[in-house]
Amino acid sequence: MYADVYLPIAVNHTFSYLIPKKLENTIKKGALVHVPFINGYTIGYVNNIVCNKKYPGKIKSIDSLFSNILINHKDLSILIDWMSKYYLTPKGIILKRIFSFLFQKKKNKKEKAILITESGKNALNQNKINGNSRIKILQFISKKKNFIRISTLKNKINFSTQTLNSLLRDKYIKVKELSIDFNPIDNISSEKKQLELSLKQNKIFSVINDKIGSNQFSTNLIHGITGSGKTEVYIKLIEKIVQQNKSALVLVPEIILTPEIAKRFKSYFQNQVGIWNSDMTYSEKKWTWNNLIKDKIKIIIGTRSAIFLPIKNLQIIIVDEEHDSSYKQSDGMPSYNARDIAIIRAKNLKIPVVLGSATPSIESYYNSISKKYNYFELKERYGNAAYPNVELIDMFREKNKDQIFSKKLLSSIKICLEKKEQIILLHNRRGFASMLYCTNCGHVFTSSKTSVPLTYHKMYNQLLCHHTEE
């Protein structure tokens, strides 16, 4: 038996490998295998199993089965096929991109942990322990059933290595090495909350909730102003899913948003929440990955790469701030938009996908008005949140036209400072002044090509158009 294997290189054809007798019942189509290639080993994707080899030369053998992740999650295998055709990218390159975590050749770091022995318990109960540090350590670990990491213990108790060595010498503790992989949001603490939706939110929730579990694909756009409570609708939708012991995926555009959103979800779902982004360490990713495989976490909050995670019983995909350009992967192959991938994956799984935004992308808004997407609108702010007061100042009407700040702004700044409040002034323009105009007639100097006001650069004493750079 032979396997046609895609390798993680920029070649869009398979390589033939012999399946050893001991692996003939193990290797299946869709499996990830460890194979020899050039002078080393790499991970390949079994595209097909055949009886006769295609290559006339000498054939190398598959070394071992690496993972059945794509066999257990057939929707990901279908997604790889679609991406390869749509983005004109070899399957091996796509595999390496979406499972980059698996391709990282890192050894598991280990850390020492301790557990109290029966001798230690007896000595502690009979007050035979000398030294305050030794007593504190044994008292603390005597309450634990499992091994406790030394680093965790040091956060609770101040002690020296010599103290631990003496406890080990007296056989009051035993030591074990544990792999370092830990929850990246374990340090985020929040109290469990209850959630109440407004009438408008509840109406949107009811419509989308009816689509969950119906084995039907749908794309739903929630067009809600900032602070309208889109996240609360997401949480309520996921609450029903988690109660059924199923899973949900929430995509956010920026890494910096992940902990904040995770904190909000953790206040409702506690330890059932995990995160995934490129800023996480290998150990943190390993914890999330292993707990996903074991089905111990039900909700993933992540950036664009999270769309490829092997999530069991996935029932809904939510793309928050769907308009954001951060969802677009433009470095390397394949260049993709995670929002579009989310829709395709949801379609393959026959589950609903929810797109949320205060300013929907043109394509999403068009798809909603053409009835391809279900459209929902939230115009009111959630709870007691109030709209900010926004006032536009016409600087042409200011008496002192050489002043770059209006009297209203200076007055408001003064009032805030008197109240010991803080002020942020945002200036998002390049150049000394965004335009140059005549104070007598009001003529604005514009570009002859774009009719956009020219920007004055004091350093060069020039007027430049930032659209044509002339």
Side-chain angles (χ1 to χ4, degrees), residues 368-386:
S368 67
I369 62 176
S370 60
K371 306 302 180 183
K372 288 184 179 180
Y373 296 173
N374 300 313
Y375 181 74
F376 305 95
E377 195 171 22
L378 281 172
K379 294 181 179 180
E380 302 84 21
R381 287 208 155 193
Y382 178 68
N384 298 321

Side-chain angles (χ1 to χ4, degrees), residues 150-297:
I150 294 175
S151 60
T152 304
L153 188 62
K154 283 188 173 181
N155 291 331
K156 307 290 184 181
I157 304 168
N158 186 24
F159 61 88
S160 65
T161 305
Q162 187 177 355
T163 303
L164 276 185
N165 291 336
S166 67
L167 289 171
L168 188 62
R169 178 199 63 206
D170 296 336
K171 297 183 179 179
Y172 292 154
I173 61 171
K174 51 185 176 181
V175 179
K176 180 181 179 181
E177 284 192 335
L178 299 177
S179 296
I180 300 177
D181 58 323
F182 54 89
N183 187 350
I185 56 171
D186 198 33
N187 59 342
I188 297 178
S189 59
S190 54
E191 296 180 3
K192 194 166 185 176
K193 293 182 179 180
Q194 297 298 322
L195 182 64
E196 292 293 333
L197 297 182
S198 66
L199 290 175
K200 187 68 174 177
Q201 287 174 314
N202 201 54
K203 186 177 179 180
I204 296 172
F205 159 75
S206 298
V207 175
I208 299 177
N209 186 56
D210 289 342
K211 301 177 186 299
I212 298 173
S214 64
N215 204 34
Q216 289 184 342
F217 162 72
S218 65
T219 306
N220 307 275
L221 175 63
I222 301 179
H223 182 188
I225 62 169
T226 304
S228 60
K230 296 185 292 295
T231 304
E232 282 70 20
V233 177
Y234 305 158
I235 290 170
K236 201 69 176 178
L237 287 167
I238 292 172
E239 185 179 50
K240 295 287 184 180
I241 292 169
V242 172
Q243 287 172 358
Q244 297 170 8
N245 200 33
K246 295 180 179 178
S247 305
L249 171 63
V250 181
L251 297 183
V252 293
E254 298 286 352
I255 291 173
I256 196 170
L257 295 175
T258 316
E260 184 61 33
I261 299 294
K263 184 177 180 180
R264 293 185 67 180
F265 275 82
K266 195 173 181 183
S267 65
Y268 293 97
F269 303 107
Q270 301 300 300
N271 295 326
Q272 298 185 87
V273 180
I275 67 169
W276 187 273
N277 60 55
S278 59
D279 205 35
M280 291 164 59
T281 64
Y282 178 81
S283 298
E284 290 171 335
K285 284 184 176 179
K286 184 185 174 188
W287 183 92
T288 301
W289 183 275
N290 289 340
N291 279 274
L292 268 179
I293 300 299
K294 296 173 185 176
D295 203 21
K296 289 185 177 181
I297 51 179

Side-chain angles (χ1 to χ4, degrees), residues 451-464:
S451 300
V452 173
L454 295 169
T455 303
Y456 176 60
H457 287 257
K458 188 177 181 180
M459 183 180 292
Y460 310 110
N461 193 29
Q462 283 183 328
L463 287 170
L464 296 175

Side-chain angles (χ1 to χ4, degrees), residues 6-7 9-13 79-97 332-336:
Y6 278 107
L7 299 180
I9 57 176
V11 175
N12 197 25
H13 67 73
L79 187 63
I80 289 174
D81 292 341
W82 180 86
M83 289 181 67
S84 179
K85 294 174 183 176
Y86 189 81
Y87 294 113
L88 303 176
T89 305
K91 288 183 182 179
I93 294 295
I94 294 174
L95 185 79
K96 188 175 182 180
R97 165 72 72 178
M333 297 172 64
S335 297
Y336 65 89

Side-chain angles (χ1 to χ4, degrees), residues 8 33-44 66 96 99-109 282-283 285-286:
V33 290
H34 207 225
V35 296
F37 184 66
I38 307 179
N39 296 324
Y41 286 84
T42 188
I43 300 170
F66 184 79
K96 188 175 182 180
F99 290 147
S100 58
F101 165 73
L102 296 177
F103 283 81
Q104 294 179 19
K105 297 179 180 180
K106 292 189 178 182
K107 293 183 179 179
N108 292 337
K109 293 182 180 180
Y282 178 81
S283 298
K285 284 184 176 179
K286 184 185 174 188

